[in-house]
Amino acid sequence: MEKLAFGMTQEGKEASLYILENKNHVKIKITDHGATLVSIIVPDREGNMKDVVLGYDNVSEYEKNTGYFGATVGRNGNRIEKAQIVIDGEVWKIPANEGENSLHSGPKGFERVLWEVKKYTDNSITFFHLSTEEEQGFPGNLEVEVTYTLTEENAVEINYCGKADKATVMNFTNHSYFNLAGHESGSAMNQKLQIFAESYTPVKDSKSIPTGEIASVEGTPMDFRTMKPIAQDIEADFEQLNYAGGYDHNYVLSDKAGEMKIMANAYCEETGIAMEASTDCCGVQLYAGNFIDSRTGKGGASYFERCGFCLESQFYPNAVNQENFPSPIVKAGDVFTTKTIYRFYVK
């Protein structure tokens, strides 16, 4: 493992960048700021190395830009209605950061934290953070770890582990934006995607809080059961797409968490790079980068709307407030673990 300086945070702390490489010369780069996945560098069909996730060159750019590029998100990925949860009859208010709602745990999410490196090997690194009750407003003090492993099969495994001293929410995810033509290549919407989900959770309106319904994808633009270009139906006059400005919806993988399964496949015909995504989570959020504003990324690359797509494994949005959704509440003292894998190959 290689360690490089990644700049100083606004608080005057030094951030670092850690580089893992396998026998195939595939590399991943992770910073301790936000336990953030900065780069995934894989070969295309010609053997050229392509960085297939969006990101920035230093910690200052991550601090001043929004979008959660590559971030570890927690304690709660996605949205909580009215920034409020009730656990064991007690009401807890979370700071709102998207109107009256909480998105990705509010303004002090895990993506803003400088994580501690707990351990590492040649092919893995584990980051640790103690999230106090005061940090985000969730109940309990949470000890959380995230481990990135680069396998010899060109897979990036992300393992999360959490334990708290009160019953609390544990709904962690990674927010990487993928572009299988290369992060600097522009729109990713002609890349093909397949999601192994028969249903999704419709939202009420443009605030993207689910109605509580589990709706079939059959006969709608939401259907990705057969691989298709992301752009194929994204501009369809369909209420759900109109609300979100494109795809930004949770797909139902199962009715409970814990069973490992393939959640999605993606493919870029231009480069031949394919990705298989697996998880033991019960849902996955497809976000098509609808609100990426014009900005400069790694190496001076120009980023703009829809130049990357996210597959965020998760509990369903607002699950803590929706009784018919699988619950992300973990009891005091219980250890919660979850895993997501992104495997890359050429075809």
Side-chain angles (χ1 to χ4, degrees):
M1 186 188 73
E2 185 179 1
K3 178 182 177 182
L4 302 175
F6 204 55
M8 300 294 288
T9 69
Q10 293 169 354
E11 297 177 346
K13 297 179 180 179
E14 185 174 329
S16 297
L17 186 69
Y18 300 87
I19 303 173
L20 305 177
E21 182 176 356
N22 70 9
K23 66 182 179 182
N24 306 314
H25 304 297
V26 169
K27 292 182 181 180
I28 62 172
K29 301 180 182 181
I30 314 107
T31 176
D32 46 9
H33 175 76
T36 295
L37 188 54
V38 174
S39 293
I40 302 176
I41 301 170
V42 298
D44 67 8
R45 68 162 63 92
E46 305 298 330
N48 301 310
M49 303 306 286
K50 296 283 189 179
D51 188 346
V52 295
V53 292
L54 277 57
Y56 300 108
D57 287 327
N58 55 64
V59 70
S60 297
E61 294 299 310
Y62 281 98
E63 286 189 315
K64 75 181 184 181
N65 287 288
T66 57
Y68 305 93
F69 286 8
T72 294
V73 173
R75 294 184 192 189
N76 184 78
N78 220 303
R79 294 170 173 87
I80 295 177
E81 187 172 18
K82 297 182 180 176
Q84 178 177 296
I85 63 176
V86 180
I87 299 179
D88 296 332
E90 187 173 356
V91 178
W92 296 82
K93 288 292 293 182
I94 314 302
N97 64 331
E98 191 180 64
E100 64 180 359
N101 301 319
S102 168
L103 174 63
H104 297 324
S105 306
K108 295 183 179 180
F110 287 173
E111 81 284 353
R112 297 291 178 183
V113 172
L114 194 65
W115 292 59
E116 172 190 339
V117 175
K118 185 173 181 179
K119 60 184 177 180
Y120 59 86
T121 67
D122 288 342
N123 72 328
S124 71
I125 185 167
T126 299
F127 297 95
F128 171 83
H129 176 56
L130 173 61
S131 175
T132 65
E133 194 168 276
E134 293 76 24
E135 181 179 81
Q136 298 175 339
F138 290 96
N141 299 302
L142 169 69
E143 296 178 345
V144 59
E145 296 178 3
V146 56
T147 299
Y148 290 93
T149 302
L150 176 61
T151 75
E152 299 296 354
E153 291 72 41
N154 299 346
V156 181
E157 296 186 358
I158 309 175
N159 286 270
Y160 307 87
C161 180
K163 183 173 75 170
D165 56 9
K166 289 183 182 177
T168 195
V169 178
M170 295 192 206
N171 182 22
F172 317 125
T173 193
N174 181 272
H175 209 296
S176 287
Y177 289 74
F178 297 99
N179 187 322
L180 302 183
H183 77 100
E184 77 291 355
S185 64
S187 175
M189 293 301 99
N190 286 329
Q191 292 166 35
K192 294 182 177 181
L193 181 65
Q194 179 183 30
I195 301 176
F196 294 94
E198 303 283 335
S199 53
Y200 74 107
T201 52
V203 298
K204 300 175 183 178
D205 51 34
S206 61
K207 296 178 181 178
S208 292
I209 299 295
T211 63
E213 178 189 5
I214 306 293
S216 173
V217 300
E218 181 76 35
T220 77
M222 311 304 291
D223 192 349
F224 278 90
R225 291 174 297 177
T226 299
M227 185 171 273
K228 67 180 181 180
I230 302 171
Q232 179 172 302
D233 300 315
I234 199 169
E235 299 293 346
D237 186 14
F238 184 68
E239 185 176 60
Q240 290 295 312
L241 294 177
N242 294 337
Y243 284 154
Y247 295 109
D248 190 9
H249 294 80
N250 170 68
Y251 282 79
V252 174
L253 302 173
S254 60
D255 59 3
K256 61 181 179 180
E259 180 184 348
M260 203 71 192
K261 59 209 162 285
I262 299 173
M263 63 177 176
N265 286 312
Y267 177 61
C268 175
E269 290 185 348
E270 179 185 356
T271 61
I273 296 173
M275 179 178 74
E276 177 190 81
S278 304
T279 190
D280 60 5
C281 292
C282 54
V284 59
Q285 186 87 2
L286 168 61
Y287 175 47
N290 310 316
F291 301 109
I292 302 175
D293 51 14
S294 180
R295 63 185 72 186
T296 301
K298 288 178 291 190
S302 295
Y303 296 160
F304 48 85
E305 67 175 14
R306 298 180 179 170
C307 67
F309 62 93
C310 304
L311 293 168
E312 305 159 59
S313 52
Q314 60 175 12
F315 285 91
Y316 313 162
N318 198 39
V320 70
N321 294 315
Q322 195 69 48
E323 289 187 2
N324 64 313
F325 287 177
S327 175
I329 302 298
V330 179
K331 295 179 181 178
D334 285 359
V335 175
F336 172 77
T337 61
T338 183
K339 177 191 287 190
T340 295
I341 304 172
Y342 301 101
R343 183 175 68 88
F344 298 87
Y345 59 101
V346 171
K347 68 175 188 177

